[in-house]
Amino acid sequence: MASAVIAALAVFGCSRAPESSPVITIEHSISPQPARVGPVTVTLQLADAAAKPIAGARIVLEADMSHPGMSPVFGEAKEVAPGQYQSQVRLGMAGDWVILLRATLPDGKKLERQFDVRDVRPN
Ligand SMILES: [Cu+2]
């Protein structure tokens, strides 16, 4: 009887969902602060679920304004320290921008994130 219970528990244990896909965090910061029209530096910090930096990723950025009729600005981020990536993007107009990140991790996984850069100041 006891062994049957253990077997049932073991089956239950095995039927649990596999580990969910690792949670990658991308922290961003922009300088200067507040952002102004002209070149801004976007710094990105990539870390895995254990907060370990992810080195060797490829990240491209696309900056768009929140209103239609403007062409996007593209940039590529360079790794400046393990897990830390930096890119310069030239913001051509004051107002609200959205930055879209497309990252390819060293294992080939791709992910996208976006964040707002609001109220970019005129120069
Ligand atoms: Cu605009």
Side-chain angles (χ1 to χ4, degrees):
M1 195 56 191
S3 64
V5 170
I6 289 163
L9 284 175
V11 168
F12 178 74
C14 288
S15 69
R16 284 197 311 187
E19 294 289 295
S20 57
S21 56
V23 181
I24 311 285
T25 58
I26 304 181
E27 282 179 26
H28 67 267
S29 60
I30 303 245
S31 71
Q33 201 56 253
R36 314 185 130 268
V37 167
V40 298
T41 302
V42 181
T43 304
L44 304 163
Q45 196 81 46
L46 250 74
D48 65 14
K52 198 170 146 270
I54 301 177
R58 247 182 65 89
I59 308 177
V60 292
L61 294 88
E62 178 183 331
D64 291 283
M65 285 203 81
S66 50
H67 66 89
M70 281 182 65
S71 15
V73 181
F74 294 96
E76 182 152 1
K78 288 198 176 69
E79 190 165 11
V80 292
Q84 188 178 315
Y85 302 81
Q86 225 163 49
S87 177
Q88 273 215 343
V89 179
R90 183 170 285 276
L91 303 180
M93 187 175 165
D96 294 338
W97 288 76
V98 177
I99 294 186
L100 179 68
L101 308 174
R102 293 190 183 89
T104 307
L105 303 182
D107 64 4
K109 282 200 191 94
K110 293 183 194 253
L111 65 128
E112 285 192 5
R113 296 287 161 88
Q114 69 172 55
F115 60 89
D116 295 334
V117 183
R118 287 185 199 284
D119 198 20
V120 171
R121 308 292 166 89
N123 239 338

